Amino acid sequence: MNSSLEKNIDFYNYLKQKGLSAEGYFEQIELEDFTDLSKNENLYSLLNECGSVILKLNTCNGLSEEILDRLAINKKIKYQFVDDLNKEGYSLEELISIYGTLQNIKNITNDSENTIAKIVTVCVIVTYLVWINENANESLTRSLKGSFFSGVAVCQGYALTLKIILNYLGIETFLVGGYGVSTLHAWNQVKDNIFYNLDLAFDWQAFLTDLPLNNTLKNDEQFYGNHKKTTFDDYTNLKECPQSISNQNLRYYTMIIPEDLRRFLVDNQMKGLSTIINYKSLSEFDSRSSKL
């Protein structure tokens, strides 16, 4: 539990001892993810009694139906994520939709051959349902609101979306800021035993048109030919990426994506990631039919 959260809980306990209401005392409460909620029962009490508040999180890890049910007691909570430019936050209804989207992506990737296959499948899903749009409002294109609900993003929206999804799938992923050629840019580093650089914004058209994926799961030598770090960010946590996944292997993983999933993505291009909630694989239908 972070020190800021501990202080908030201590102050809430103090208010209770004094017989005072917690409403109006808390503007923002920071959690690492939703697993923090299961570690301290007083935190639920605080959130249910504090009135309007921003609950700020790094990832969606630990989100569940049980947690959503318990959070529903206070509809005034707004949910916000690190690196997300939608400063209004997300409502409970939007959080429920984000959860359903993450769960269905998890179901889709459960049978993947390995972690690399999961990453590639997620990249394909994102590139079909979310398109780069440099002209849309920043609060959309640099947030989950754009990628999940409006089907638009720029590099920061893509990187944030991959961070949220891949972390939820258990794949260590974080967002990196720097330059892409000469303009400010954002991308990811992802881990499968070792770390790889991943810039989906640079490769989204390549995923759509079956061109070489020259910015996906690459080593530092190859990746930093057209990327560079800024001089004003702290890169102490940046990982060394010593190896690349070849384009031949990446193409293999794109080719084994189920045909019914690919048809669904083509039919729902640019409709937003939350559309994936409506996808049911053929294997699910076959399983249901066999029980009739």
Side-chain angles (χ1 to χ4, degrees):
M1 189 184 304
N2 63 59
S3 59
S4 172
L5 180 55
E6 288 180 347
K7 289 178 181 178
N8 282 327
I9 292 174
D10 287 344
F11 183 58
Y12 168 69
N13 290 332
Y14 170 79
L15 292 173
K16 284 178 62 179
Q17 291 171 3
K18 295 294 183 180
L20 299 173
S21 168
E23 188 163 356
Y25 281 99
F26 301 89
E27 295 182 2
Q28 179 174 294
I29 297 173
E30 295 183 12
L31 308 180
E32 174 59 29
D33 54 41
F34 289 95
T35 59
D36 281 341
L37 288 168
S38 60
K39 297 175 183 177
N40 195 310
E41 193 65 27
N42 282 344
L43 182 53
Y44 276 114
S45 300
L46 165 58
L47 290 173
N48 290 332
E49 297 172 20
C50 68
S52 298
V53 68
I54 288 286
L55 186 61
K56 191 158 189 178
L57 304 115
N58 187 40
T59 72
C60 282
N61 292 5
L63 187 57
S64 67
E65 291 184 16
E66 178 186 357
I67 285 176
L68 288 168
D69 287 341
R70 298 190 71 177
L71 290 172
I73 296 173
N74 182 2
K75 296 291 180 63
K76 294 181 180 180
I77 300 173
K78 288 291 185 178
Y79 303 88
Q80 181 60 274
F81 297 93
V82 175
D83 301 313
D84 191 310
L85 289 198
N86 170 32
K87 299 306 180 185
E88 295 179 358
Y90 299 88
S91 66
L92 179 66
E93 290 71 23
E94 288 172 321
L95 186 64
I96 290 171
S97 181
I98 289 172
Y99 169 71
T101 302
L102 293 172
Q103 275 295 105
N104 217 24
I105 292 175
K106 187 174 184 178
N107 293 337
I108 289 168
T109 59
N110 267 343
D111 295 329
S112 298
E113 285 187 17
N114 50 41
T115 298
I116 299 300
K118 286 186 179 185
I119 294 170
V120 170
T121 300
V122 169
C123 288
V124 170
I125 291 171
V126 173
T127 51
Y128 273 94
L129 299 183
V130 185
W131 285 21
I132 296 287
N133 186 334
E134 302 282 355
N135 299 317
N137 189 292
E138 280 191 352
S139 65
L140 282 180
T141 58
R142 300 184 181 188
S143 70
L144 298 181
K145 187 176 284 289
S147 58
F148 276 74
F149 304 115
S150 300
V152 294
V154 291
C155 57
Q156 184 171 341
Y158 261 19
L160 170 65
T161 298
L162 287 182
K163 170 188 163 185
I164 294 294
I165 296 174
L166 294 177
N167 271 292
Y168 191 81
L169 300 183
I171 301 168
E172 188 175 350
T173 306
F174 57 92
L175 186 149
V176 179
Y179 287 98
V181 186
S182 60
T183 58
L184 283 172
H185 196 56
W187 60 88
N188 299 99
Q189 287 194 318
V190 301
K191 186 178 183 182
D192 175 31
N193 297 319
I194 61 172
F195 276 91
Y196 298 91
N197 297 297
L198 169 59
D199 186 349
L200 186 55
F202 269 18
D203 272 355
W204 76 284
Q205 288 182 316
F207 270 103
L208 292 173
T209 54
D210 197 27
L211 291 173
L213 302 170
N214 294 325
N215 302 279
T216 298
L217 303 176
K218 300 307 180 191
N219 63 22
D220 290 335
E221 182 180 3
Q222 182 172 352
F223 192 77
Y224 285 108
N226 59 354
H227 295 78
K228 62 179 179 179
K229 307 168 190 175
T230 63
T231 57
F232 49 81
D233 283 321
D234 178 8
Y235 285 102
T236 55
N237 293 321
L238 199 63
K239 308 299 183 184
E240 181 182 355
C241 301
Q243 297 178 20
S244 293
I245 303 297
S246 71
N247 283 334
Q248 181 179 358
N249 285 341
L250 291 173
R251 190 172 190 279
Y252 163 76
Y253 289 121
T254 62
M255 295 299 292
I256 63 172
I257 289 174
E259 187 58 34
D260 60 312
L261 174 58
R262 194 176 295 277
R263 284 200 303 270
F264 177 89
L265 296 175
V266 169
D267 291 342
N268 291 277
Q269 290 179 73
M270 208 181 167
K271 291 184 179 179
L273 282 171
S274 60
T275 323
I276 205 72
I277 293 174
N278 301 319
Y279 169 73
K280 300 293 183 184
S281 69
L282 290 177
S283 61
E284 289 180 86
F285 287 120
D286 292 342
S287 175
R288 291 178 183 179
S289 299
S290 66
K291 295 177 182 178
L292 297 177

